[in-house]
Amino acid sequence: MDPLDFLRAHAPFDRLDAAALRRVAATLEIAFAPAGAHVLQRGAAPARFLYVIRKGVVRLERDGEVVQVLEEGDTFGFPSLVGRTSPLVDAVVVEDALLYQVPEAEFRALVESPGFAEFFVVSLSERLHRHASLQPVPFGRALWGSLEGMPLAPVRWIAPGETVQAAARLMREAGASAIFVEGSPPGIVTDSDLRVRVLAEGRGPSTPVGEIATRPVATVPSGSTLLEALTFMLERRVHHAALESAGRLVGLITDADLLRLQVQTPLYLLRTVERLAVPGDLPTYGQDLAAMVGSLTWSGLDAWQVGPIVARVNDALVARLIAFVQSTLGPAPVPFAWIVFGSEGRREQTLLADQDHALTFSAGGEGVDAYFARLAREVVALLLEAGFPPCPGGYMATSWRMPVDDLAARFRAWILKPDPQGLVDALNLFDFRPVAGDLDVGPLDDIIAAAAREPRFLAHFARASLGLEPPLGAFRHIKEDHGGVDLKRGGLVPVAGLARLLALEAGARDRPTLARLEAAAAAGTLSHEGAATLAQAFRFLMRLRLTDQLRHLRAGRPLSTLTPLDALTSLDRAYLKDVFVAIREVQQATALRYAIDRLA
């Protein structure tokens, strides 16, 4: 590869136009530096070049401490060049190096290019944010479009004293599935209301429509995006979203409107799940979910935005499977809750993953455990049919099934008497979220929140949370394992662990990692800069991982936990290394903060 092609493939030169690249290549000097050579020395004369490593390894040191290890494609020397000051670090060649040297005059010309200069002067979190915002959004990505530009049907109104028959007739004539009801506040009646609140309850056609209307009407601003309307419907499990402007109802969007836009929406899959033929339709669930995720990603959503939508659809599936099993098993003898945890509990799952769930109920008793044992066994079997692998650690309702008082006692024991297994259990279950059943599990949340007042537990929890580290070698280069990097274990889990720990100390009850980081920054258990860096790192890693997973699916290959570095762009590889280094630095600071080295 000639120098021009090499530079074009590496940041920040990949941001230059063709003319600037040719000018750099024309002025480039090539130098060989043997192992042990000092290319720059701290306190010596200012650098005269921007150095680009073509081959070899260079280590930056300060007082003998390794600051950073640089590899092929990395640059160094720019702080000294920019400030025309002595280097702040030594640059020592570790492995024989071939260096491309960009002269100072040419470097100063290049920094006039905003994209080139940004690489050197903007913080990591800001660079990641800008990088994400620059990802191409193809024409026609409808989810980001405004509702104001959509051809929606005119708003229909009816007086509250009119009959439901008149309302049904008006809706039929308008081809509408909902109608607004006059009054203060105004109300809404949908076709579902006519079935559930009139026909199912034996009411007659002369029933005043005002008696069955829903008031007040939940609304979204008329200037919202299609995505915001979609999220509104998913969160409320409705098929309509009323539009509001200046305090007035001005329109209505339905799931049918979304389908007309040929958007492969989660609402479509949600409706399919709610009408699922069990077990006949289960084997295609994973494919349908992957298609939806691919569509959402194509529509411009980032991976961290896809997670909550996937969680909502998976929740509906679990509820559907429980209802199916109960159709033969009968109603539950006591109130219960099916809870999920791990990434599903945090709403950060993007594709099918291991089952992580538990079943808790208000009280034990004769026949109670037998009922829930069978419920758990049959629901787990159906989830397997739908494509959810079993949890390797055994965190499934077939094993984790007990009265809520017993589960609460375990939570307290993990906090008051932390032991290794209890801490592992806490790392999993403290992300819990109820998805089905009618049991109030709020008291469990209270117990977790109280852990903020237990410094001994926090210290042990910190050590457990720091168990996984980024895959960096002794010289801070990225280590591949069996031909790839595990972005989940090496990046996402460490960030999620830091967020969980620091939010717990802050007394926050949030589950999603990004919300926890915000809560930690607001409470002062994490700096705002640290929170911003980890948040952007988390988004970056989720995007890389989902992109690689979707690439596997499109190629018809099974999903892999490993992402090959050579599958990434040079800029993504450079950012990945920076992200791993940033995560490790926060982990090291956290270890000092909780003094985990003093624990027995």
Side-chain angles (χ1 to χ4, degrees):
M1 183 183 294
D2 69 23
L4 186 60
D5 290 337
F6 180 83
L7 292 176
R8 185 184 292 116
H10 291 84
F13 299 95
D14 57 350
R15 305 173 181 198
L16 299 175
D17 58 31
L21 272 173
R22 285 195 298 271
R23 195 175 65 241
V24 174
T27 60
L28 206 61
E29 297 182 21
I30 302 176
F32 171 77
H38 283 61
V39 180
L40 295 175
Q41 287 187 300
R42 185 183 181 194
R48 295 187 299 113
F49 301 98
L50 174 70
Y51 297 91
V52 185
I53 302 176
R54 176 64 181 85
K55 287 183 180 177
V57 177
V58 174
R59 186 171 62 222
L60 303 184
E61 298 179 351
R62 184 183 293 117
D63 297 329
E65 294 290 328
V66 176
V67 175
Q68 193 173 2
V69 175
L70 307 174
E71 301 169 301
E72 181 178 304
D74 289 335
T75 58
F76 64 96
F78 51 88
S80 177
L81 270 179
V82 171
R84 287 175 170 155
T85 58
S86 299
L88 298 175
V89 295
D90 296 321
V92 183
V93 178
V94 179
E95 296 176 2
D96 289 352
L98 187 65
L99 303 174
Y100 290 164
Q101 301 178 157
V102 180
E104 178 182 356
E106 183 57 32
F107 173 77
R108 295 198 178 284
L110 292 175
V111 294
E112 295 299 321
S113 168
F116 189 88
E118 174 189 295
F119 183 83
F120 297 107
V121 300
V122 175
S123 68
L124 175 61
S125 64
E126 193 170 348
R127 276 189 283 141
L128 290 172
H129 175 73
R130 293 184 185 182
H131 180 54
S133 67
L134 291 174
Q135 296 303 302
V137 180
F139 175 78
R141 288 189 170 182
L143 284 176
W144 293 113
S146 171
L147 295 175
E148 291 178 330
M150 287 187 60
L152 302 178
V155 176
R156 300 285 178 174
W157 288 87
I158 191 170
E162 293 284 350
T163 66
V164 294
Q165 185 177 39
R169 186 180 303 118
L170 193 57
M171 288 164 62
R172 184 190 62 189
E173 292 171 355
S177 55
I179 190 169
F180 291 132
V181 180
E182 297 169 354
S184 180
I188 187 172
V189 168
T190 68
D191 51 2
S192 175
D193 294 330
L194 295 178
R195 291 193 303 273
V196 176
R197 297 178 181 176
V198 179
L199 293 177
E201 294 187 4
R203 296 187 177 190
S206 61
T207 302
V209 71
E211 290 186 8
I212 66 164
T214 298
R215 290 191 174 92
V217 181
T219 62
V220 294
S222 61
S224 303
T225 65
L226 203 58
L227 172 62
E228 290 168 327
L230 177 61
T231 304
F232 173 91
M233 291 188 230
L234 280 170
E235 289 178 346
R236 289 165 177 77
R237 299 190 65 183
V238 297
H239 301 288
H240 307 79
L243 310 184
E244 173 270 335
S245 177
R248 295 187 305 109
L249 298 176
V250 297
L252 190 71
I253 183 171
T254 70
D255 56 347
D257 294 320
L258 300 181
L259 291 174
R260 276 199 296 274
L261 289 173
Q262 297 182 337
V263 178
Q264 191 170 359
T265 71
L267 283 170
Y268 174 78
L269 184 54
L270 189 63
R271 180 179 290 180
T272 301
V273 166
E274 290 172 341
R275 299 173 179 175
L276 205 64
V278 179
D281 292 337
L282 290 179
T284 64
Y285 179 77
Q287 297 172 10
D288 294 341
L289 188 74
M292 182 195 78
V293 170
S295 175
L296 291 174
T297 304
W298 180 88
S299 297
L301 264 66
D302 217 334
W304 63 275
Q305 296 170 306
V306 172
I309 296 175
V310 170
R312 183 66 196 89
V313 177
N314 284 343
D315 292 353
L317 176 69
V318 171
R320 175 74 184 96
L321 298 184
I322 289 175
F324 171 76
V325 174
Q326 287 187 310
S327 67
T328 55
L329 193 57
V334 296
F336 75 97
W338 185 282
I339 62 178
V340 296
F341 34 84
S343 58
E344 192 73 40
R346 300 191 302 271
R347 293 188 173 93
E348 291 166 355
Q349 195 58 263
T350 51
L351 294 170
L352 293 185
D354 298 343
Q355 300 185 39
D356 284 315
H357 45 65
L359 184 55
T360 187
F361 34 91
S362 61
E366 186 176 354
V368 171
D369 188 62
Y371 176 92
F372 287 115
R374 182 175 169 188
L375 178 68
R377 186 171 61 252
E378 295 192 17
V379 170
V380 166
L382 292 171
L383 286 171
L384 287 170
E385 285 191 40
F388 291 88
C391 174
Y395 291 98
M396 295 192 295
T398 42
S399 301
W400 283 85
R401 183 185 68 257
M402 65 192 74
V404 69
D405 287 346
D406 292 355
L407 188 57
R410 292 201 184 199
F411 277 29
R412 293 191 193 92
W414 296 340
I415 294 169
L416 298 177
K417 297 179 180 178
D419 60 46
Q421 184 56 53
L423 290 166
V424 171
D425 295 339
L427 287 174
N428 284 283
L429 271 80
F430 278 10
D431 288 347
F432 86 89
R433 178 173 61 85
V435 299
D438 52 356
L439 178 66
D440 178 14
V441 291
L444 296 177
D445 225 9
D446 296 338
I447 296 171
I448 297 175
R453 300 189 294 273
E454 300 292 338
R456 180 168 174 267
F457 167 75
L458 289 174
H460 283 277
F461 201 57
R463 184 166 64 180
S465 300
L466 301 177
L468 290 178
E469 297 179 348
L472 293 172
F475 299 120
R476 298 193 178 191
H477 66 279
I478 299 176
K479 292 192 298 185
E480 284 190 283
D481 182 24
H482 296 90
V485 176
D486 190 331
L487 298 174
K488 179 180 179 182
R489 291 177 60 83
L492 291 169
V493 173
V495 175
L498 287 165
R500 183 191 302 110
L501 168 69
L502 296 167
L504 193 63
E505 185 186 354
R509 301 189 181 214
D510 305 275
R511 293 293 187 271
T513 296
L514 296 177
R516 282 172 163 169
L517 290 171
E518 288 183 10
T525 56
L526 177 66
S527 70
H528 286 281
E529 181 182 358
T533 299
L534 288 182
Q536 291 299 341
F538 190 76
R539 293 185 178 107
F540 173 76
L541 290 167
M542 283 201 75
R543 178 178 64 78
L544 282 192
R545 183 166 182 258
L546 181 57
T547 300
D548 189 54
Q549 289 177 323
L550 291 175
R551 185 164 51 236
H552 275 74
L553 291 176
R554 282 194 295 270
R557 300 194 301 267
L559 294 181
S560 171
T561 58
L562 300 176
T563 299
L565 288 179
D566 59 13
L568 307 179
T569 67
S570 63
L571 188 58
D572 281 340
R573 284 198 300 273
Y575 280 150
L576 182 60
K577 183 177 179 180
D578 290 346
V579 160
F580 282 160
V581 170
I583 294 171
R584 174 179 277 188
E585 288 176 350
V586 178
Q587 285 186 321
Q588 291 170 339
T590 303
L592 289 173
R593 172 187 172 86
Y594 291 96
I596 65 173
D597 59 329
R598 299 179 186 173
L599 296 174

